[in-house]
Amino acid sequence: MQPRLRRLGVTALLCWTTRSARTAALYVSSSETGSCRNLPTVRPMSTASSVEDASVRVVRVLALHGSEGTAEEFPSRLEALKSMLATDRNVQLEITSVEGPFPKGGGYSWWTMKPGERSFTANEYGGFDTAAEIVLEAWKVDPPYDLCLGHSQGAIMIAALITLGKVPYHPSLGYIFNGVSFPNPYRKEVGALKIEASSSSTGASTVRALFIMGTDDKVT
């Protein structure tokens, strides 16, 4: 199943959701209100007239919510970041938010676990392949994403996909892992990871990653 997405301008937020019926629904969120409305049809639209300032940089972001989150709600958590970048850096974020397939609490999760287990202690992520397929289908859209951002369980999903060598490409601006913990079922694969130096004179890593955690966080 290929995700059908469109760009509605540099201030648009695209939220691709999936339900148990595996049907894709598209939401478009206003950058000003953060509210989403369902779109019954999806048709490509030109964005040529939406960019008034040629100096504005559009950054395409693939975003994965945490446990019990939703694709519709998650972009609203990024409003402060969007506002700061637009004001201070003249950067507009275009966010595609993907939703986990498994109902949990008031939202969805990326996998299932036995009662009492946590993602950093579980030996197996139930339904991981199903969730991975959803994320990777969204990942392959054209033009490619500039940045991939995950929160909590969504960040663990991204880390697991990188560890397993499943990502189709590394975004040019890299990854943001917010509150990520260890993808325990893939401990052996994580230990076998190697960082390759780029061909640049600096010898910097070819993959950029920013890890965000709280000072009192004992998990991530």
Side-chain angles (χ1 to χ4, degrees), residues 85-185:
L85 289 175
T87 302
D88 297 346
R89 300 295 181 182
N90 216 21
V91 170
Q92 296 281 1
L93 298 184
E94 182 181 277
I95 303 174
T96 300
S97 182
V98 187
E99 189 164 275
F102 303 107
K104 183 179 180 182
Y108 295 85
S109 67
W110 293 104
W111 46 75
T112 61
M113 294 176 289
K114 297 177 181 178
E117 283 188 332
R118 301 287 300 276
S119 293
F120 57 92
T121 63
N123 293 320
E124 180 182 4
Y125 292 160
F128 176 84
D129 289 342
T130 297
E133 182 180 356
I134 293 170
V135 175
L136 293 175
E137 284 176 354
W139 204 307
K140 296 175 183 177
V141 298
D142 185 54
Y145 295 105
D146 304 299
L147 180 68
C148 188
L149 182 153
H151 169 64
S152 190
Q153 199 178 84
I156 300 174
M157 166 60 81
I158 297 170
L161 292 175
I162 295 172
T163 297
L164 298 173
K166 292 182 176 291
V167 298
Y169 60 88
H170 294 301
S172 60
L173 296 180
Y175 303 89
I176 296 178
F177 299 94
N178 184 52
V180 64
S181 61
F182 203 79
N184 199 59

Side-chain angles (χ1 to χ4, degrees), residues 5-213:
L5 305 173
R6 66 173 174 175
R7 295 177 63 181
L8 298 181
V10 297
T11 59
L13 300 180
L14 305 181
C15 314
W16 182 48
T17 69
T18 56
R19 295 292 185 263
S20 57
R22 318 311 306 154
T23 301
L26 182 66
Y27 292 82
V28 174
S29 171
S30 165
S31 63
E32 297 179 357
T33 65
S35 61
C36 292
R37 59 186 176 85
N38 183 260
L39 294 182
T41 59
V42 179
R43 292 184 297 273
M45 293 183 65
S46 171
T47 61
S49 61
S50 64
V51 181
E52 297 179 356
D53 187 345
S55 66
V56 171
R57 181 182 182 184
V58 179
V59 174
R60 290 169 50 81
V61 182
L62 178 64
L64 275 63
H65 63 75
S67 179
E68 301 189 34
T70 69
E72 182 177 359
E73 174 269 343
F74 186 48
S76 66
R77 295 172 176 260
L78 306 176
E79 284 301 312
L81 175 63
K82 289 176 69 268
S83 178
M84 181 273 290
L85 289 175
T87 302
D88 297 346
R89 300 295 181 182
N90 216 21
V91 170
Q92 296 281 1
L93 298 184
E94 182 181 277
I95 303 174
T96 300
S97 182
V98 187
E99 189 164 275
F102 303 107
K104 183 179 180 182
Y108 295 85
S109 67
W110 293 104
W111 46 75
T112 61
M113 294 176 289
K114 297 177 181 178
E117 283 188 332
R118 301 287 300 276
S119 293
F120 57 92
T121 63
N123 293 320
E124 180 182 4
Y125 292 160
F128 176 84
D129 289 342
T130 297
E133 182 180 356
I134 293 170
V135 175
L136 293 175
E137 284 176 354
W139 204 307
K140 296 175 183 177
V141 298
D142 185 54
Y145 295 105
D146 304 299
L147 180 68
C148 188
L149 182 153
H151 169 64
S152 190
Q153 199 178 84
I156 300 174
M157 166 60 81
I158 297 170
L161 292 175
I162 295 172
T163 297
L164 298 173
K166 292 182 176 291
V167 298
Y169 60 88
H170 294 301
S172 60
L173 296 180
Y175 303 89
I176 296 178
F177 299 94
N178 184 52
V180 64
S181 61
F182 203 79
N184 199 59
Y186 309 108
R187 178 178 295 273
K188 182 182 297 185
E189 289 83 354
V190 171
L193 283 176
K194 295 181 180 180
I195 299 178
E196 298 180 358
S198 70
S199 59
S200 68
S201 59
T202 62
S205 171
T206 56
V207 181
R208 298 177 177 179
L210 173 65
F211 294 84
I212 302 173
M213 62 189 72

